[in-house]
Amino acid sequence: MVTRWIFSRRFSSQIQHSFVTTPIFYVNAAPHIGHLYSSVIADAIHRFNQITRPAESGDCFLSTGTDEHGLKIQQAAIKHSTSTEDYCDAISTKYRELFGRFQIDYSRFIRTTDTDHRQAVQAFWRSLAASDSIYSASYSGWYCVPDETFLTDSQLKENERGEKCSLESGHPVEWTEEENYMFRLSRYQDDVRHWVKGLEGRRIQPDKFGRILLDWLEEPLPDISISRPMNRVSWGVPVPSDPSQSVYVWLDALVNYLTVAGYPKESFHTRWPPTVQVLGKDILKFHGIYWPAFLLAAQIEPPRQLLVHSHWTVDNQKMSKSKQNVVDPNERAELYTYEGLRYFLLREGVAHSDGNYSDTKVLRILNSELADTLGNLLSRCCGKALNAESLFPAVDREALDALKEIDATKRMLEALEEMPDKASSHYKNYNFYLVVDTIVHLLHTANNFFETTAPWKLKKSDNPADRAKLNTILSVTMEVLRQAGIAAQPIVPGLSKQLLDKLQIVSTARRWNDLQVSFRTQDVPLSQDECILFRRIMPPAQKTDPDQSRSEKRPTKKKKQAA
């Protein structure tokens, strides 16, 4: 029997590493923005840890991958007239390519068909069996193939045709009777509840999902099936002691987090436990109840924290194949760019509520914030009109003192001083939209400062004092851009790199502790690379071919002549 000492003994130690995970994604269909959203959240956490943690504190690790076993995969392969192996290879490759384009900086891309994962699953099964947490029994219940889970009567509803289906997903269910291995989930209910309440109430974020778990834990937990007959689900990992059974797909999938840490080698403890596991709210029960129970049964510490996010609707409608409104990230990135779409998801998404995807909203936000507020400010500072010598110029102290008397300067410097601590706090609370708010507010004050001081007027003057003031305005504005670029790296790594490269900020000076106001004391040449950071995006309807436009005008002209 698991006792509370496990928590007090192991959870009291300070974890030195950073180990962030995404869920592994089911390969029954191509990736959509929901899958991408989980990944960019995890990647932003991972990248923030990389630039904030001291090198001696340990490594930063990010895992992602694909879940490739189960009845649903068998059926999908048959539907596509291909073998299960070839089908999994094709869809898994799509995920890997997607993550590459969106700069997901993963340390390991795991597939549940990997050899080391199969070994980890079987080792974990033996560990559960050794703790007397598994027994064999006849099992009957309503099984949902699309969701790969058994459902209780309270989790069912009738659809418009009078058929039973999942209350949450709406997917159909079928009555199933079979010999299975069962896991003694009921044995670990109290310990799972104790775990959920841990970490000073911050174990599950946002808080609403912790409350949902505790509500579920108020009811007695039934023991659960953790295997399927091999003659029904042959595409899976065989139960080590009984090849007539395959390991239930959800147990198989959850073990991936152990596999990437190096389990069952003893050295896996150097990375374990995960510091934060990112997941969608639809798989909360699996990660918030089953997963910690499995780990406790195996005498392994559960994850430090779960970050649960909500879903995306499209124009206020649930995303679904039947509505043909599933958003393909690759397709949208052709118009909005990969960095632009990544920015939108982190800028607009909030973990506690469903986000609404709208092309109109994407266009407005990217043009307003990335093109106009950020990109235009960089272009004005670096352009030949004001900066003919292409320098990050030194600050003139007298000119700076004079500029500090202006209200617009005071507001900008105040925002600059506050930005690092505010942004850091928001990153640590996984409020990426507030990180962006903080950075954009700083950029707005810088744009206001630029407009108020009107450096283009000083450009016309031959007075050395005016020249010093012009260079100081440019330098102070570039200092704002430098700090914005460093702080935005976890959100838009590609754009941030382009910005910092333009300002000639060396790669070793892009960490969080470099966010201290540091005005230039000498001129530094800018990079000669293009300084257009993000081009304004025109709505597709407004993009017309000039030749086509001319040809469309000709018939009108002929009609007038005929008249």
Side-chain angles (χ1 to χ4, degrees), residues 250-278:
W250 267 103
L251 174 55
D252 170 0
L254 288 165
V255 174
N256 95 85
Y257 306 123
L258 286 166
T259 306
V260 299
Y263 181 86
K265 296 177 183 175
E266 187 60 29
S267 59
F268 92 95
H269 284 295
T270 61
R271 179 161 293 134
W272 196 264
T275 44
V276 59
Q277 298 203 262
V278 177

Side-chain angles (χ1 to χ4, degrees), residues 68-87:
E68 303 180 19
H69 286 143
L71 181 58
K72 192 161 52 172
I73 304 305
Q74 291 178 208
Q75 294 175 344
I78 293 170
K79 182 180 177 181
H80 288 83
S81 303
T82 185
S83 69
T84 47
E85 294 90 340
D86 289 345
Y87 176 78

Side-chain angles (χ1 to χ4, degrees), residues 439-496:
I439 296 171
V440 169
H441 169 68
L442 172 61
L443 292 170
H444 281 155
T445 65
N447 274 283
N448 181 250
F449 163 77
F450 208 80
E451 288 293 324
T452 302
T453 54
W456 52 89
K457 293 181 180 177
L458 300 170
K459 178 70 175 176
K460 301 173 184 177
S461 173
D462 294 327
N463 186 330
D466 288 340
R467 172 61 60 179
K469 187 177 181 182
L470 167 62
N471 285 339
T472 300
I473 293 169
L474 294 177
S475 187
V476 169
T477 306
M478 289 184 192
E479 170 62 13
V480 170
L481 288 165
R482 179 187 75 86
Q483 294 214 31
I486 292 173
Q489 287 177 104
I491 307 292
V492 277
L495 282 181
S496 295

